C-alpha cells in the first residue's frame, strides 16, 4: 500500500479543503488509488495556523475517519518554505518533521533560484535533519537537472508531484519531471493533493504514467517503500 508524504488534507488550515466533508472526500480518493497512510503537510508559514493547531486538527480528522470506517493512518507533517525564518526555526530545534523524525518536507521558491542551497542542505544535515525537496520539477532552482543532481548528492532527496507526469502543471514542468525521473533522482512520489475534484481519476492516471515511465519496481519504491522508510526515519532505498 502507498504512503502520501505531501498532501494538504487537513481542513480549514491552509489552501486545502474548507471543511471535514472535503477532507473525507480526499481520503476516499486517496484510498481508492491505493494509499493506506498520509502525512498531511499543511503550509508552515506565518499566515497559516501553527503546529499545535495542525496537530489538533489531525486528531479531529482521525476521529472523523473512525466514525466513517475509513482506515487511513495519519502522521505528523508540514510543507516548510525554504527561507531564512525556516532555517532559524529548524536550527533552533523547532522544526516540523515528518512523523516527528529526521526527515522534513521543504519547498523551494517557484520563480527564483537558491544560490546557497548546498550550504543550506549541509547545515540541515549537520544538525541531523534530512530535507526532502518538494516538487523540484516545478521550481526554478531545478530546471537545470544538474542542479537537481547536486542537491541529491548534497544529501537532499527529491519528491515528485505525481500530477506533473500527466501535465497538470503544464508541458514545461512535465518535461523537467521526466528528465529528473529518467536520471533516477527522485526518492519519493506524492500527490500534493489540495481537493477531491477529479482526484481519484488523475491520481490513478498519474500512477499509471509513473509505472509506464519508470517501471513497477521504481513505482513501488517511490510510493510505498521509501515513504514508509521516511515515516520510520530510516535510510532510503535507491
Amino acid at each position: 500500500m502507498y504512503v502520501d508524504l505531501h498532501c494538504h488534507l487537513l481542513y480549514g488550515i491552509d489552501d486545502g479543503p474548507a471543511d471535514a466533508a472535503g477532507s473525507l472526500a480526499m481520503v476516499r480518493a486517496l484510498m481508492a488509488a491505493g494509499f493506506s497512510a498520509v502525512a498531511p503537510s499543511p503550509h508552515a508559514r506565518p499566515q497559516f495556523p501553527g503546529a499545535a493547531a495542525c496537530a489538533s486538527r489531525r486528531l479531529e480528522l482521525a476521529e472523523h475517519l473512525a466514525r466513517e470506517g475509513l482506515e487511513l493512518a495519519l502522521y505528523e507533517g508540514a510543507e516548510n518554505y525554504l527561507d531564512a525564518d525556516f532555517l532559524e526555526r529548524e536550527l533552533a530545534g523547532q522544526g516540523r518533521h515528518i512523523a516527528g523524525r529526521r526527515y522534513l518536507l521543504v519547498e523551494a521558491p517557484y520563480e527564483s533560484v537558491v544560490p546557497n542551497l548546498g550550504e543550506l542542505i549541509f547545515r540541515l544535515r549537520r544538525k541531523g535533519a534530512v530535507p526532502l525537496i518538494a516538487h523540484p520539477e516545478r521550481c526554478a532552482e531545478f530546471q537545470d537537472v544538474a542542479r537537481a543532481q547536486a542537491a541529491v548528492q548534497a544529501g537532499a532527496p527529491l519528491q515528485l508531484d505525481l500530477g506533473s507526469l500527466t501535465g497538470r502543471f503544464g508541458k514545461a514542468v512535465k518535461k523537467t519531471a521526466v528528465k529528473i525521473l529518467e536520471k533516477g533522482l527522485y526518492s519519493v512520489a506524492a500527490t500534493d493533493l489540495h481537493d477531491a475534484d477529479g482526484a481519484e481519476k488523475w491520481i490513478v492516471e498519474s500512477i499509471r504514467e509513473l509505472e509506464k515511465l519508470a517501471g513497477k519496481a521504481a513505482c513501488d519504491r517511490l510510493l510505498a517503500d521509501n515513504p514508509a522508510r521516511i515515516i520510520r526515519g530510516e535510510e532510503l532505498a535507491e
Side-chain angles (χ1 to χ4, degrees):
M1 299 293 282
Y2 300 147
V3 180
D4 193 0
L5 298 183
H6 188 173
C7 180
H8 297 264
L9 188 61
L10 302 182
Y11 58 91
I13 293 292
D14 57 4
D15 54 351
D19 52 31
S23 291
L24 291 174
M26 291 169 64
V27 166
R28 290 187 172 93
L30 287 165
M31 292 180 67
F35 288 89
S36 61
V38 172
S41 50
H43 291 290
R45 299 194 191 188
Q47 64 266 41
F48 298 117
C54 292
S56 177
R57 185 55 47 84
R58 191 170 62 253
L59 290 175
E60 291 176 13
L61 179 57
E63 293 174 355
H64 283 289
L65 296 181
R67 285 195 294 269
E68 295 290 327
L70 298 171
E71 297 183 3
L72 183 79
L74 299 177
Y75 294 92
E76 177 185 356
E79 185 175 12
N80 301 278
Y81 188 69
L82 195 58
D83 60 10
D85 289 340
F86 153 71
L87 189 63
E88 182 179 349
R89 291 193 305 272
E90 180 61 34
L91 296 180
Q94 300 172 354
R96 294 169 64 177
H97 290 214
I98 299 170
R101 299 186 184 273
R102 59 178 177 153
Y103 293 89
L104 65 158
L105 186 68
V106 298
E107 176 186 33
Y110 284 114
E111 298 180 356
S112 60
V113 299
V114 186
N116 59 340
L117 181 61
E119 171 65 18
L120 293 176
I121 294 170
F122 173 77
R123 293 179 68 185
L124 291 169
R125 292 298 305 246
R126 189 173 61 182
K127 293 288 289 187
V130 182
L132 173 64
I133 298 178
H135 46 61
E137 70 276 2
R138 299 172 58 191
C139 302
E141 172 69 25
F142 306 105
Q143 297 310 297
D144 180 349
V145 176
R147 295 182 70 85
Q149 188 165 17
V152 172
Q153 291 172 342
L158 307 181
Q159 173 253 305
L160 165 70
D161 267 10
L162 282 168
S164 296
L165 295 180
T166 52
R168 285 180 60 81
F169 306 104
K171 293 181 179 179
V173 169
K174 178 178 179 179
K175 183 177 180 180
T176 302
V178 171
K179 286 182 179 179
I180 296 175
L181 185 64
E182 289 175 342
K183 291 287 187 180
L185 296 176
Y186 287 115
S187 292
V188 171
T191 68
D192 195 3
L193 190 63
H194 284 69
D195 60 66
D197 187 25
E200 183 175 340
K201 180 180 179 181
W202 74 253
I203 293 173
V204 170
E205 289 176 349
S206 298
I207 293 173
R208 287 174 180 164
E209 186 67 13
L210 174 59
E211 186 171 337
K212 174 184 173 182
L213 291 169
K216 178 84 165 53
C219 186
D220 289 343
R221 177 176 60 86
L222 296 177
L223 284 168
D225 187 15
N226 275 346
R229 287 170 180 259
I230 286 175
I231 291 292
R232 297 190 297 265
E234 300 172 353
E235 293 294 326
L236 301 182
E238 297 182 359

